[in-house]
Amino acid sequence: MTTGSSGPGEEVRTDARRSARLVASLPRGELVFALLMVALGVFALAGVFTIHVPAGGQVGPTVFPLFVSILLLGSSLAVVASILRGHRGVPEEGEDVDQSLPTDWLTLVKIVALVVAHLLLIEPLGWAPAAALLFGGVAWALGARRWWMAFLIGAILAVVVQVVFGGLLGLSLPWGPALGWLGRMF
C-alpha cells in the first residue's frame, strides 16, 4: 500500500528533471553573449595593466581604460546573473522586427568578413581606404540600393574621420600610401 510519499530515489529523479528543464529553458544566445562580454571585460582589464605609464604622480593614461573595463566587467556579470535568475528581455510591441523570420546568416558573414578585411588592410592601405571599404561594404551588405553611393559616402566619411582624428587631434591612424601626402599637411 502506498501512502503518497515518495522515497529518496524519487526526489533525486524529480530534481534531475527540474534541473534539465531549467537548463533547457535558459536563453542560450543571451547567455553566450553575456559570457563573451565577461571575457571581453576580463581581457580589457588585463590589457589596462600592460599600458606603459610614465613616472609621476599625475593621472595617467590608464584611468579611462580602467574605468571602462571595470564598468564592462561589472555590467556583464550583472547581466549573466540576471539571465541565470530567469529575467528575459521582452520585445516591445512597437518594434519593426518580424520575430518569425530566421537570422540572415549570409549578411552576418559578409559583415564579419568586412571587419576582418578592415583589420588586415589598415597597415598596408592606411586607415581611410580600409574604413571606406568597411563603411561602404556594410551598407551594401545591409541592402543599400545604390551600392556605388554607399561606397562613395563611406569614402568621404572615412577621409573626414581620418583628417579630424588623425590630422587635427593627432591620433595614430595610419595614412597609408594613398593619403600620405595629406598626412604631411598636418
Side-chain angles (χ1 to χ4, degrees), residues 46-103:
V48 167
F49 298 110
T50 63
I51 297 174
H52 174 68
V53 179
Q58 297 176 340
V59 174
T62 60
V63 172
F64 186 71
L66 184 63
F67 172 73
V68 170
S69 300
I70 291 171
L71 186 66
L72 175 64
L73 188 58
S75 61
S76 59
L77 286 172
V79 169
V80 169
S82 179
I83 290 171
L84 292 176
R85 279 193 239 129
H87 299 286
R88 301 279 319 265
V90 180
E92 293 181 16
E93 294 292 324
E95 286 188 26
D96 191 21
V97 176
D98 188 358
Q99 297 288 330
S100 65
L101 292 177
T103 302

Short mmCIF file of all heavy atoms in Angstrom, two decimals, residues 46-103:
data_model
loop_
_atom_site.label_atom_id
_atom_site.label_comp_id
_atom_site.label_asym_id
_atom_site.label_seq_id
_atom_site.Cartn_x
_atom_site.Cartn_y
_atom_site.Cartn_z
N ALA A 46 42.81 43.15 -18.11
CA ALA A 46 44.20 42.68 -18.15
C ALA A 46 45.03 43.56 -19.06
O ALA A 46 46.21 43.82 -18.78
CB ALA A 46 44.24 41.23 -18.62
N GLY A 47 44.45 44.06 -20.13
CA GLY A 47 45.17 44.91 -21.06
C GLY A 47 45.52 46.27 -20.48
O GLY A 47 46.51 46.89 -20.88
N VAL A 48 44.72 46.75 -19.53
CA VAL A 48 44.98 48.04 -18.91
C VAL A 48 46.34 48.02 -18.21
O VAL A 48 47.08 49.01 -18.24
CB VAL A 48 43.86 48.41 -17.91
CG1 VAL A 48 44.26 49.57 -17.03
CG2 VAL A 48 42.58 48.72 -18.66
N PHE A 49 46.68 46.89 -17.63
CA PHE A 49 47.91 46.80 -16.86
C PHE A 49 49.15 46.65 -17.75
O PHE A 49 50.27 46.63 -17.25
CB PHE A 49 47.82 45.69 -15.83
CG PHE A 49 46.73 45.95 -14.83
CD1 PHE A 49 45.58 45.18 -14.82
CD2 PHE A 49 46.83 47.00 -13.93
CE1 PHE A 49 44.57 45.44 -13.91
CE2 PHE A 49 45.83 47.26 -13.02
CZ PHE A 49 44.70 46.49 -13.00
N THR A 50 48.95 46.54 -19.07
CA THR A 50 50.09 46.48 -19.97
C THR A 50 50.43 47.85 -20.56
O THR A 50 51.39 47.97 -21.31
CB THR A 50 49.82 45.49 -21.12
OG1 THR A 50 48.72 45.97 -21.90
CG2 THR A 50 49.54 44.10 -20.59
N ILE A 51 49.63 48.87 -20.23
CA ILE A 51 49.88 50.21 -20.75
C ILE A 51 51.07 50.81 -20.01
O ILE A 51 51.13 50.79 -18.79
CB ILE A 51 48.63 51.11 -20.56
CG1 ILE A 51 47.46 50.56 -21.38
CG2 ILE A 51 48.94 52.55 -20.97
CD1 ILE A 51 46.16 51.29 -21.13
N HIS A 52 52.00 51.34 -20.79
CA HIS A 52 53.19 51.96 -20.19
C HIS A 52 52.80 53.30 -19.58
O HIS A 52 52.26 54.17 -20.25
CB HIS A 52 54.27 52.16 -21.25
CG HIS A 52 55.46 52.93 -20.73
ND1 HIS A 52 56.30 52.40 -19.78
CD2 HIS A 52 55.90 54.17 -20.99
CE1 HIS A 52 57.23 53.30 -19.50
NE2 HIS A 52 57.01 54.38 -20.23
N VAL A 53 53.05 53.45 -18.30
CA VAL A 53 52.72 54.67 -17.58
C VAL A 53 54.02 55.38 -17.22
O VAL A 53 54.88 54.82 -16.56
CB VAL A 53 51.93 54.35 -16.28
CG1 VAL A 53 51.60 55.62 -15.53
CG2 VAL A 53 50.68 53.56 -16.62
N PRO A 54 54.16 56.65 -17.68
CA PRO A 54 55.37 57.38 -17.31
C PRO A 54 55.40 57.67 -15.81
O PRO A 54 54.36 57.76 -15.15
CB PRO A 54 55.28 58.68 -18.12
CG PRO A 54 53.89 58.74 -18.65
CD PRO A 54 53.29 57.38 -18.55
N ALA A 55 56.60 57.81 -15.28
CA ALA A 55 56.76 58.07 -13.85
C ALA A 55 56.19 59.44 -13.52
O ALA A 55 56.34 60.39 -14.26
CB ALA A 55 58.23 58.00 -13.47
N GLY A 56 55.53 59.53 -12.39
CA GLY A 56 54.94 60.80 -11.96
C GLY A 56 53.68 60.53 -11.18
O GLY A 56 53.09 59.46 -11.25
N GLY A 57 53.23 61.52 -10.44
CA GLY A 57 52.06 61.34 -9.60
C GLY A 57 50.77 61.81 -10.21
O GLY A 57 49.74 61.83 -9.56
N GLN A 58 50.77 62.17 -11.50
CA GLN A 58 49.55 62.67 -12.12
C GLN A 58 48.68 61.52 -12.61
O GLN A 58 49.11 60.38 -12.68
CB GLN A 58 49.90 63.58 -13.29
CG GLN A 58 50.66 64.82 -12.86
CD GLN A 58 51.06 65.64 -14.06
OE1 GLN A 58 51.10 65.15 -15.17
NE2 GLN A 58 51.35 66.91 -13.83
N VAL A 59 47.49 61.88 -12.98
CA VAL A 59 46.58 60.89 -13.55
C VAL A 59 47.17 60.44 -14.88
O VAL A 59 47.49 61.26 -15.74
CB VAL A 59 45.18 61.50 -13.75
CG1 VAL A 59 44.28 60.52 -14.47
CG2 VAL A 59 44.58 61.88 -12.41
N GLY A 60 47.32 59.15 -15.04
CA GLY A 60 47.98 58.62 -16.23
C GLY A 60 47.00 58.15 -17.29
O GLY A 60 45.78 58.34 -17.18
N PRO A 61 47.54 57.49 -18.30
CA PRO A 61 46.71 57.04 -19.42
C PRO A 61 45.87 55.81 -19.13
O PRO A 61 45.15 55.34 -20.00
CB PRO A 61 47.74 56.75 -20.51
CG PRO A 61 48.97 56.39 -19.77
CD PRO A 61 48.95 57.23 -18.52
N THR A 62 45.95 55.28 -17.91
CA THR A 62 45.19 54.06 -17.61
C THR A 62 43.86 54.33 -16.92
O THR A 62 43.06 53.42 -16.75
CB THR A 62 46.02 53.14 -16.70
OG1 THR A 62 46.32 53.82 -15.49
CG2 THR A 62 47.28 52.69 -17.38
N VAL A 63 43.60 55.56 -16.53
CA VAL A 63 42.40 55.85 -15.75
C VAL A 63 41.13 55.54 -16.54
O VAL A 63 40.26 54.81 -16.07
CB VAL A 63 42.40 57.32 -15.26
CG1 VAL A 63 41.08 57.67 -14.61
CG2 VAL A 63 43.54 57.54 -14.30
N PHE A 64 41.00 56.09 -17.73
CA PHE A 64 39.77 55.88 -18.51
C PHE A 64 39.62 54.41 -18.93
O PHE A 64 38.54 53.84 -18.78
CB PHE A 64 39.73 56.82 -19.71
CG PHE A 64 38.44 56.75 -20.46
CD1 PHE A 64 37.28 57.25 -19.91
CD2 PHE A 64 38.39 56.16 -21.71
CE1 PHE A 64 36.07 57.17 -20.60
CE2 PHE A 64 37.20 56.07 -22.40
CZ PHE A 64 36.04 56.59 -21.84
N PRO A 65 40.68 53.76 -19.48
CA PRO A 65 40.52 52.33 -19.81
C PRO A 65 40.18 51.47 -18.61
O PRO A 65 39.41 50.52 -18.71
CB PRO A 65 41.88 51.94 -20.41
CG PRO A 65 42.47 53.20 -20.88
CD PRO A 65 41.97 54.27 -19.96
N LEU A 66 40.74 51.80 -17.45
CA LEU A 66 40.43 51.05 -16.24
C LEU A 66 38.96 51.23 -15.86
O LEU A 66 38.26 50.26 -15.54
CB LEU A 66 41.33 51.49 -15.09
CG LEU A 66 41.19 50.74 -13.78
CD1 LEU A 66 41.58 49.28 -13.97
CD2 LEU A 66 42.05 51.38 -12.71
N PHE A 67 38.47 52.45 -15.94
CA PHE A 67 37.06 52.73 -15.64
C PHE A 67 36.14 51.97 -16.59
O PHE A 67 35.18 51.33 -16.15
CB PHE A 67 36.80 54.24 -15.74
CG PHE A 67 35.36 54.62 -15.63
CD1 PHE A 67 34.71 54.56 -14.41
CD2 PHE A 67 34.66 55.03 -16.74
CE1 PHE A 67 33.37 54.89 -14.30
CE2 PHE A 67 33.33 55.36 -16.65
CZ PHE A 67 32.68 55.30 -15.43
N VAL A 68 36.43 52.02 -17.88
CA VAL A 68 35.59 51.34 -18.88
C VAL A 68 35.65 49.83 -18.68
O VAL A 68 34.63 49.14 -18.77
CB VAL A 68 36.01 51.74 -20.31
CG1 VAL A 68 35.32 50.88 -21.35
CG2 VAL A 68 35.71 53.20 -20.55
N SER A 69 36.83 49.29 -18.39
CA SER A 69 36.97 47.84 -18.19
C SER A 69 36.17 47.37 -16.99
O SER A 69 35.48 46.35 -17.05
CB SER A 69 38.44 47.49 -18.00
OG SER A 69 39.19 47.84 -19.11
N ILE A 70 36.26 48.10 -15.89
CA ILE A 70 35.51 47.72 -14.69
C ILE A 70 34.02 47.85 -14.93
O ILE A 70 33.24 46.98 -14.52
CB ILE A 70 35.97 48.57 -13.48
CG1 ILE A 70 37.39 48.16 -13.09
CG2 ILE A 70 35.02 48.41 -12.31
CD1 ILE A 70 38.04 49.05 -12.05
N LEU A 71 33.60 48.90 -15.64
CA LEU A 71 32.18 49.07 -15.94
C LEU A 71 31.67 47.94 -16.84
O LEU A 71 30.59 47.38 -16.59
CB LEU A 71 31.97 50.43 -16.62
CG LEU A 71 30.54 50.85 -16.89
CD1 LEU A 71 29.81 51.06 -15.56
CD2 LEU A 71 30.51 52.12 -17.71
N LEU A 72 32.45 47.56 -17.85
CA LEU A 72 32.07 46.46 -18.74
C LEU A 72 31.99 45.15 -17.99
O LEU A 72 31.02 44.40 -18.12
CB LEU A 72 33.07 46.35 -19.90
CG LEU A 72 32.88 45.16 -20.85
CD1 LEU A 72 31.55 45.27 -21.58
CD2 LEU A 72 34.02 45.10 -21.84
N LEU A 73 32.99 44.87 -17.17
CA LEU A 73 33.01 43.61 -16.42
C LEU A 73 31.85 43.55 -15.43
O LEU A 73 31.14 42.54 -15.34
CB LEU A 73 34.35 43.45 -15.71
CG LEU A 73 34.60 42.12 -15.03
CD1 LEU A 73 34.50 40.98 -16.02
CD2 LEU A 73 35.97 42.14 -14.38
N GLY A 74 31.63 44.62 -14.70
CA GLY A 74 30.54 44.63 -13.71
C GLY A 74 29.17 44.50 -14.35
O GLY A 74 28.32 43.72 -13.89
N SER A 75 28.93 45.24 -15.44
CA SER A 75 27.62 45.16 -16.08
C SER A 75 27.39 43.81 -16.75
O SER A 75 26.29 43.27 -16.71
CB SER A 75 27.44 46.30 -17.08
OG SER A 75 28.41 46.23 -18.09
N SER A 76 28.44 43.22 -17.32
CA SER A 76 28.26 41.92 -17.95
C SER A 76 28.02 40.83 -16.91
O SER A 76 27.22 39.91 -17.14
CB SER A 76 29.45 41.57 -18.84
OG SER A 76 30.64 41.53 -18.10
N LEU A 77 28.68 40.92 -15.75
CA LEU A 77 28.40 39.96 -14.68
C LEU A 77 26.97 40.12 -14.16
O LEU A 77 26.30 39.13 -13.84
CB LEU A 77 29.40 40.12 -13.54
CG LEU A 77 30.81 39.60 -13.82
CD1 LEU A 77 31.76 40.01 -12.70
CD2 LEU A 77 30.80 38.10 -14.01
N ALA A 78 26.49 41.36 -14.10
CA ALA A 78 25.10 41.59 -13.67
C ALA A 78 24.12 41.00 -14.68
O ALA A 78 23.09 40.43 -14.29
CB ALA A 78 24.85 43.08 -13.49
N VAL A 79 24.42 41.10 -15.97
CA VAL A 79 23.55 40.52 -16.99
C VAL A 79 23.54 39.00 -16.91
O VAL A 79 22.49 38.37 -17.01
CB VAL A 79 23.97 41.01 -18.40
CG1 VAL A 79 23.26 40.22 -19.49
CG2 VAL A 79 23.70 42.49 -18.56
N VAL A 80 24.71 38.39 -16.70
CA VAL A 80 24.77 36.93 -16.55
C VAL A 80 23.93 36.49 -15.35
O VAL A 80 23.14 35.55 -15.44
CB VAL A 80 26.23 36.44 -16.40
CG1 VAL A 80 26.28 34.99 -15.97
CG2 VAL A 80 26.98 36.62 -17.69
N ALA A 81 24.08 37.18 -14.22
CA ALA A 81 23.29 36.83 -13.03
C ALA A 81 21.80 37.00 -13.29
O ALA A 81 20.98 36.16 -12.88
CB ALA A 81 23.73 37.69 -11.85
N SER A 82 21.43 38.04 -14.00
CA SER A 82 20.02 38.28 -14.30
C SER A 82 19.46 37.19 -15.22
O SER A 82 18.35 36.71 -15.01
CB SER A 82 19.87 39.65 -14.97
OG SER A 82 18.55 39.90 -15.30
N ILE A 83 20.24 36.77 -16.19
CA ILE A 83 19.79 35.70 -17.10
C ILE A 83 19.63 34.40 -16.33
O ILE A 83 18.65 33.67 -16.51
CB ILE A 83 20.78 35.53 -18.27
CG1 ILE A 83 20.69 36.74 -19.20
CG2 ILE A 83 20.50 34.25 -19.04
CD1 ILE A 83 21.77 36.77 -20.26
N LEU A 84 20.59 34.09 -15.46
CA LEU A 84 20.50 32.85 -14.69
C LEU A 84 19.33 32.85 -13.71
O LEU A 84 18.82 31.79 -13.36
CB LEU A 84 21.81 32.60 -13.95
CG LEU A 84 23.01 32.27 -14.84
CD1 LEU A 84 24.27 32.13 -14.02
CD2 LEU A 84 22.75 31.02 -15.66
N ARG A 85 18.89 34.04 -13.28
CA ARG A 85 17.71 34.13 -12.41
C ARG A 85 16.41 34.05 -13.18
O ARG A 85 15.34 34.03 -12.59
CB ARG A 85 17.74 35.44 -11.62
CG ARG A 85 18.63 35.35 -10.42
CD ARG A 85 18.38 36.53 -9.51
NE ARG A 85 19.65 37.23 -9.37
CZ ARG A 85 19.85 38.51 -9.54
NH1 ARG A 85 18.87 39.29 -9.87
NH2 ARG A 85 21.04 39.03 -9.40
N GLY A 86 16.50 34.06 -14.51
CA GLY A 86 15.29 33.89 -15.32
C GLY A 86 14.72 35.17 -15.89
O GLY A 86 13.66 35.15 -16.52
N HIS A 87 15.38 36.29 -15.70
CA HIS A 87 14.88 37.55 -16.26
C HIS A 87 15.24 37.60 -17.74
O HIS A 87 16.37 37.38 -18.12
CB HIS A 87 15.50 38.75 -15.53
CG HIS A 87 15.16 38.78 -14.09
ND1 HIS A 87 13.92 39.13 -13.63
CD2 HIS A 87 15.90 38.50 -12.99
CE1 HIS A 87 13.91 39.07 -12.31
NE2 HIS A 87 15.11 38.69 -11.90
N ARG A 88 14.25 37.89 -18.56
CA ARG A 88 14.44 37.92 -20.01
C ARG A 88 14.00 39.27 -20.54
O ARG A 88 13.08 39.88 -20.03
CB ARG A 88 13.57 36.86 -20.70
CG ARG A 88 13.80 35.44 -20.30
CD ARG A 88 14.99 34.78 -20.97
NE ARG A 88 15.17 35.06 -22.36
CZ ARG A 88 14.73 34.31 -23.36
NH1 ARG A 88 14.05 33.23 -23.13
NH2 ARG A 88 15.00 34.64 -24.60
N GLY A 89 14.66 39.69 -21.60
CA GLY A 89 14.23 40.89 -22.30
C GLY A 89 13.02 40.56 -23.15
O GLY A 89 13.00 39.58 -23.87
N VAL A 90 12.00 41.38 -23.05
CA VAL A 90 10.78 41.15 -23.81
C VAL A 90 10.74 42.15 -24.96
O VAL A 90 10.92 43.35 -24.75
CB VAL A 90 9.54 41.34 -22.91
CG1 VAL A 90 8.26 41.10 -23.69
CG2 VAL A 90 9.62 40.41 -21.72
N PRO A 91 10.53 41.68 -26.20
CA PRO A 91 10.48 42.62 -27.32
C PRO A 91 9.29 43.57 -27.18
O PRO A 91 8.22 43.17 -26.72
CB PRO A 91 10.30 41.74 -28.55
CG PRO A 91 10.27 40.34 -28.09
CD PRO A 91 10.35 40.31 -26.61
N GLU A 92 9.51 44.80 -27.56
CA GLU A 92 8.44 45.78 -27.49
C GLU A 92 7.44 45.52 -28.60
O GLU A 92 7.78 44.98 -29.65
CB GLU A 92 9.01 47.19 -27.64
CG GLU A 92 9.88 47.62 -26.50
CD GLU A 92 10.40 49.04 -26.69
OE1 GLU A 92 9.86 49.77 -27.53
OE2 GLU A 92 11.35 49.39 -25.99
N GLU A 93 6.21 45.94 -28.37
CA GLU A 93 5.17 45.74 -29.38
C GLU A 93 5.41 46.63 -30.59
O GLU A 93 5.08 46.28 -31.70
CB GLU A 93 3.80 46.07 -28.77
CG GLU A 93 3.39 45.12 -27.67
CD GLU A 93 3.12 43.73 -28.21
OE1 GLU A 93 2.60 43.59 -29.33
OE2 GLU A 93 3.45 42.77 -27.49
N GLY A 94 6.01 47.78 -30.39
CA GLY A 94 6.19 48.73 -31.48
C GLY A 94 7.43 48.49 -32.32
O GLY A 94 7.68 49.22 -33.27
N GLU A 95 8.23 47.49 -32.01
CA GLU A 95 9.44 47.24 -32.79
C GLU A 95 9.09 46.77 -34.18
O GLU A 95 8.17 45.97 -34.37
CB GLU A 95 10.32 46.20 -32.09
CG GLU A 95 11.02 46.74 -30.88
CD GLU A 95 12.04 45.76 -30.32
OE1 GLU A 95 12.54 44.93 -31.08
OE2 GLU A 95 12.31 45.85 -29.12
N ASP A 96 9.82 47.26 -35.14
CA ASP A 96 9.57 46.90 -36.54
C ASP A 96 10.44 45.70 -36.93
O ASP A 96 11.24 45.78 -37.86
CB ASP A 96 9.86 48.10 -37.43
CG ASP A 96 9.38 47.88 -38.85
OD1 ASP A 96 8.51 47.02 -39.06
OD2 ASP A 96 9.89 48.57 -39.75
N VAL A 97 10.33 44.63 -36.16
CA VAL A 97 11.12 43.44 -36.39
C VAL A 97 10.17 42.26 -36.44
O VAL A 97 9.33 42.08 -35.56
CB VAL A 97 12.16 43.23 -35.27
CG1 VAL A 97 12.91 41.94 -35.46
CG2 VAL A 97 13.10 44.41 -35.20
N ASP A 98 10.30 41.46 -37.48
CA ASP A 98 9.48 40.27 -37.59
C ASP A 98 10.19 39.13 -36.88
O ASP A 98 11.19 38.60 -37.38
CB ASP A 98 9.23 39.94 -39.06
CG ASP A 98 8.22 38.82 -39.25
OD1 ASP A 98 7.74 38.28 -38.23
OD2 ASP A 98 7.89 38.52 -40.41
N GLN A 99 9.69 38.75 -35.71
CA GLN A 99 10.33 37.73 -34.90
C GLN A 99 10.24 36.34 -35.53
O GLN A 99 10.97 35.44 -35.13
CB GLN A 99 9.69 37.68 -33.51
CG GLN A 99 9.86 38.95 -32.71
CD GLN A 99 11.28 39.14 -32.24
OE1 GLN A 99 12.00 38.18 -32.01
NE2 GLN A 99 11.70 40.38 -32.13
N SER A 100 9.37 36.16 -36.50
CA SER A 100 9.22 34.84 -37.10
C SER A 100 10.28 34.56 -38.18
O SER A 100 10.46 33.42 -38.58
CB SER A 100 7.83 34.69 -37.70
OG SER A 100 7.67 35.60 -38.79
N LEU A 101 10.97 35.59 -38.65
CA LEU A 101 11.98 35.39 -39.69
C LEU A 101 13.27 34.84 -39.08
O LEU A 101 13.65 35.21 -37.98
CB LEU A 101 12.28 36.71 -40.39
CG LEU A 101 11.16 37.28 -41.25
CD1 LEU A 101 11.56 38.61 -41.83
CD2 LEU A 101 10.81 36.30 -42.36
N PRO A 102 13.96 33.98 -39.81
CA PRO A 102 15.23 33.44 -39.29
C PRO A 102 16.35 34.47 -39.45
O PRO A 102 16.21 35.48 -40.15
CB PRO A 102 15.48 32.22 -40.19
CG PRO A 102 14.80 32.57 -41.48
CD PRO A 102 13.59 33.38 -41.10
N THR A 103 17.48 34.19 -38.82
CA THR A 103 18.65 35.04 -38.93
C THR A 103 19.21 34.99 -40.34
O THR A 103 19.30 33.92 -40.93
CB THR A 103 19.72 34.58 -37.93
OG1 THR A 103 19.17 34.63 -36.62
CG2 THR A 103 20.97 35.45 -38.00
#
